[in-house]
Amino acid sequence: MNSQHEFVLRTVEERDIRFIRLWFTDILGALKSVVMSPSELESAFEEGVGFDGSSIEGFSRISESDTLALPDPSTFQIMPFDQDDPDIISARMFCDIAQPDGQPSMVDPRHILRRQVTESANEGFTCMAAPEIEFYLLEQSLDNTNLIATDNGGYFDQATHDRAPSFRRRAMSALEAMSIATEFSHHETAPGQQEIDLRHADVMTMADNIMTFRHVIKQVAADQKVQATFMPKPFEHLPGSGMHTHLSLFEGEHNAFHDPDDEFSLSTTAKQFIAGILEHSVEMTAVTNQWTNSYKRLMFGNEAPGSATWGVSNRSALVRVPTYRLGKAESRRVEIRSLDSAMNPYLGYAVLLAAGLRGIKEGYELGDPAEDDVHQLTRRERRAMGYRDLPVSLDQALREFEKSEFMAEVLGEHVFEYFLRAKWDEWHSYQQQITNFELNLNY
C-alpha cells in the first residue's frame, strides 16, 4: 500500500462512497466494468480482482481464462451523476490487466500504450496529447435507420431554442467534476454535431480521459432525453466526426518540438516525428480508423484527410502544423487529423507514438509541405506530387496492416492476430449485406 492507495481508501470512507466501478477496455475499445463494494477495495489493491478473461473478446483462451484486474489508484474519481442520492454514490478507477502471476497482460490495450510511453521516456520524452472530439446529438429513437438531429445549427452557431447549449454546459461541468479539464466547446458544421476539446495531458492520462469522456457524454445525453453517437459518419450527406489530436514531446519542461530559428518554429525532432507518422500512416490506418464506417468519413467527410501529407495551417493534410502563437514554445505541436471519434484511444495513440518515435530514432527526412487543397487534387496529381493515398476501405487498410511487421511489433503478436481476425470478420459481414442501394439499382 502506498500513499495513493491510502488516499483512495480514506476518501471512500469519508465521502461514504457505496460502489466502486473498475473500468478497462477490450481490444476494440469497448468499455468494460465490474462494480465492487468498498469493503473489497483494500484486497483489490493488494491482490487484484479475478475475472474470466476468456469471456472478454480477444483476451485469452478458455484454458488460460484466469485474469486479474489491478485498480490504478491514480485514476480514482467520484462519478458526478449520483451526488443527489447518497445511497448510490459511486467512484471509478481504471485497471491494468495482469496474469495470475502478476505479470502484465500482453492483450491489455492500456499496457500496449504504456510500452510506448516507456519507450518515449527512454528517449527522454513525455508525450502530451490534446484531442478535439466530435460527436452527434440525436433525438432518441429505437429505429437506427431514422436518425434525427437535435438541432439545425451550423459552425459556431449560438442556438437559443434547442438543447445543445444546455447539453454542452452540463457535459463540461460533469467532465470538470471528474478532473478532466476542457478547453472549448462549440457547435460543429452539421445539424446536431458538437465538439468539445480537452486540455492537454500526458498521453496515457488522455486515453483514460477519452474513455471517460464517451461514457459521460452518453450519460448526460440520456439524462436530457437525447442520444449521443461517436460513429465516424452516421449521415450520408453530412460531415463525419473526427478526433483531431494535437501531439507534442517534452524533455522535462522544454518542448522538444519548438525551434525559434525555424520558419515554422519546428525543431528537427518535430519534423522527424511528422515524417515517422507519414511513413507509417497507411499501415496503421486500420487501427486509427477501425470500423467499416470509418472510411465513409475519410472518403467523403469534410476536411478528412485522404492522403499521407503534412501542411502548415492546411486542414486538408493528414498532419497539420498550427500557426497560432508561433513564438510560444509550449504551444508548438502537430495535429493528426485522420483519427475518428470511435478509435480505441490506447491502441491508436500507441501506434502514432511508435511511428513518431521511429521517425526520430531513424532520422526520417520530411518532405515539402502540401500547399494545395489535397481534396481537390486528382489521383494522378497526388501521385505526381509524391503523395500516398490512405486506404479507402477497411479491406484495403487490413491488407496494409496484415503485412506490417512494425504494427505486429507495436501491438504484440496476440493483439495483432486477434485484431486482424475480428476486423476481417467485420469486413466480410459488411460485404454479405444486400443494401437498399443494390435493390434500388438492380432489382
Side-chain angles (χ1 to χ4, degrees):
M1 301 288 284
N2 58 33
S3 59
Q4 286 185 325
H5 295 114
E6 292 170 357
F7 169 78
V8 171
L9 292 169
R10 185 170 61 253
T11 303
V12 167
E13 182 177 0
E14 291 175 352
R15 298 291 298 273
D16 196 22
I17 294 170
R18 302 298 179 87
F19 303 101
I20 311 294
R21 306 184 194 185
L22 304 183
W23 284 1
F24 61 95
T25 70
D26 67 13
I27 291 173
L28 300 184
L31 183 63
K32 302 295 181 178
S33 177
V34 59
V35 178
M36 65 184 300
S37 300
S39 60
E40 300 299 316
L41 185 54
E42 188 169 352
S43 173
F45 281 144
E46 294 176 350
E47 303 173 359
V49 175
F51 67 97
D52 176 7
S54 67
S55 294
I56 304 295
E57 287 290 335
F59 264 35
S60 58
R61 297 176 298 182
I62 194 166
S63 60
E64 302 167 335
S65 60
D66 287 348
T67 311
L68 292 173
L70 305 175
D72 180 350
S74 70
T75 65
F76 175 84
Q77 288 292 338
I78 298 174
M79 300 299 292
F81 306 110
D82 309 323
Q83 303 297 324
D84 296 333
D85 190 343
D87 291 333
I88 59 171
I89 292 179
S90 63
R92 75 95 167 95
M93 280 182 285
F94 281 96
C95 293
D96 294 310
I97 306 304
Q99 300 169 1
D101 63 1
Q103 292 299 309
S105 170
M106 295 297 104
V107 301
D108 178 13
R110 208 165 182 257
H111 178 67
I112 291 170
L113 177 55
R114 181 175 285 109
R115 287 205 306 264
Q116 296 307 315
V117 169
T118 301
E119 185 69 24
S120 177
N122 290 340
E123 298 295 320
F125 300 122
T126 300
C127 181
M128 306 297 288
E132 304 170 359
I133 309 177
E134 296 172 345
F135 56 95
Y136 274 91
L137 282 184
L138 307 172
E139 298 291 347
Q140 285 186 330
S141 171
L142 298 178
D143 182 3
N144 290 338
T145 63
N146 184 31
L147 304 182
I148 302 173
T150 55
D151 62 73
N152 291 312
Y155 190 64
F156 268 38
D157 275 358
Q158 176 56 56
T160 57
H161 59 280
D162 57 53
R163 283 171 281 186
S166 172
F167 169 86
R168 291 199 302 269
R169 289 195 299 271
R170 289 174 182 269
M172 291 176 76
S173 294
L175 291 166
E176 296 281 353
M178 298 188 71
S179 297
I180 298 177
T182 60
E183 287 191 327
F184 307 104
S185 78
H186 61 86
H187 200 288
E188 258 297 337
T189 56
Q193 192 178 35
Q194 317 296 325
E195 176 179 307
I196 297 179
D197 302 346
L198 302 186
R199 184 178 296 279
H200 65 270
D202 70 90
V203 70
M204 178 64 78
T205 298
M206 187 53 71
D208 289 342
N209 286 351
I210 290 169
M211 294 306 302
T212 305
F213 179 97
R214 292 175 184 166
H215 175 82
V216 167
I217 292 299
K218 290 184 177 183
Q219 182 67 57
V220 174
D223 289 347
Q224 294 204 288
K225 310 302 182 189
V226 296
Q227 292 178 318
T229 179
F230 296 93
M231 184 177 178
K233 200 171 191 302
F235 293 99
E236 180 178 347
H237 299 296
L238 295 178
S241 292
M243 189 170 70
H244 306 156
T245 296
H246 298 256
L247 295 177
S248 56
L249 295 179
F250 276 73
E251 296 174 300
E253 298 297 318
H254 169 68
N255 187 347
F257 279 7
H258 183 257
D259 180 356
D261 298 324
D262 181 76
E263 179 183 3
F264 306 119
S265 297
L266 279 181
S267 67
T268 299
T269 297
K271 294 175 182 177
Q272 292 170 338
F273 188 90
I274 296 171
I277 288 176
L278 296 182
E279 175 65 26
H280 299 287
S281 59
V282 172
E283 65 199 274
M284 66 185 179
T285 297
V287 179
T288 58
N289 306 85
Q290 68 164 322
W291 306 103
T292 53
N293 182 255
S294 298
Y295 297 86
K296 306 292 177 68
R297 169 182 168 263
L298 288 181
M299 287 189 69
F300 306 110
N302 292 11
E303 296 186 354
S307 301
T309 58
W310 78 284
V312 179
S313 294
N314 188 342
R315 282 177 164 79
S316 69
L318 169 62
V319 181
R320 184 179 80 95
V321 177
T323 54
Y324 310 121
R325 301 182 291 276
L326 282 177
K328 189 175 180 181
E330 57 267 33
S331 295
R332 190 59 15 234
R333 62 197 187 276
V334 299
E335 179 188 10
I336 317 301
R337 296 180 61 81
S338 58
L339 316 181
D340 62 47
S341 293
M343 177 188 80
N344 181 335
Y346 301 103
L347 299 188
Y349 286 161
V351 297
L352 281 174
L353 182 53
L357 290 174
R358 176 165 285 197
I360 293 170
K361 287 186 285 188
E362 299 191 6
Y364 287 4
E365 292 288 335
L366 183 63
D368 294 331
E371 297 180 352
D372 302 293
D373 184 346
V374 182
H375 298 300
Q376 301 302 317
L377 299 176
T378 66
R379 185 180 182 187
R380 184 178 300 172
E381 288 171 333
R382 293 194 300 271
R383 285 190 171 183
M385 295 174 137
Y387 302 155
R388 287 185 305 153
D389 284 344
L390 297 178
V392 297
S393 67
L394 183 60
D395 174 36
Q396 285 190 12
L398 290 174
R399 292 178 191 276
E400 295 293 339
F401 178 82
E402 191 169 31
K403 61 188 181 185
S404 172
E405 294 181 4
F406 180 49
M407 289 295 98
E409 175 188 330
V410 173
L411 299 179
E413 181 180 354
H414 183 100
V415 171
F416 182 79
E417 293 295 336
Y418 172 79
F419 187 88
L420 268 175
R421 288 196 304 272
K423 288 300 166 180
W424 277 127
D425 286 347
E426 179 186 338
W427 175 251
H428 293 148
S429 296
Y430 179 74
Q431 284 183 303
Q432 286 176 347
Q433 296 178 92
I434 307 301
T435 65
N436 286 333
F437 174 85
E438 294 166 285
L439 292 171
N440 292 334
L441 184 67
N442 303 131
Y443 181 77

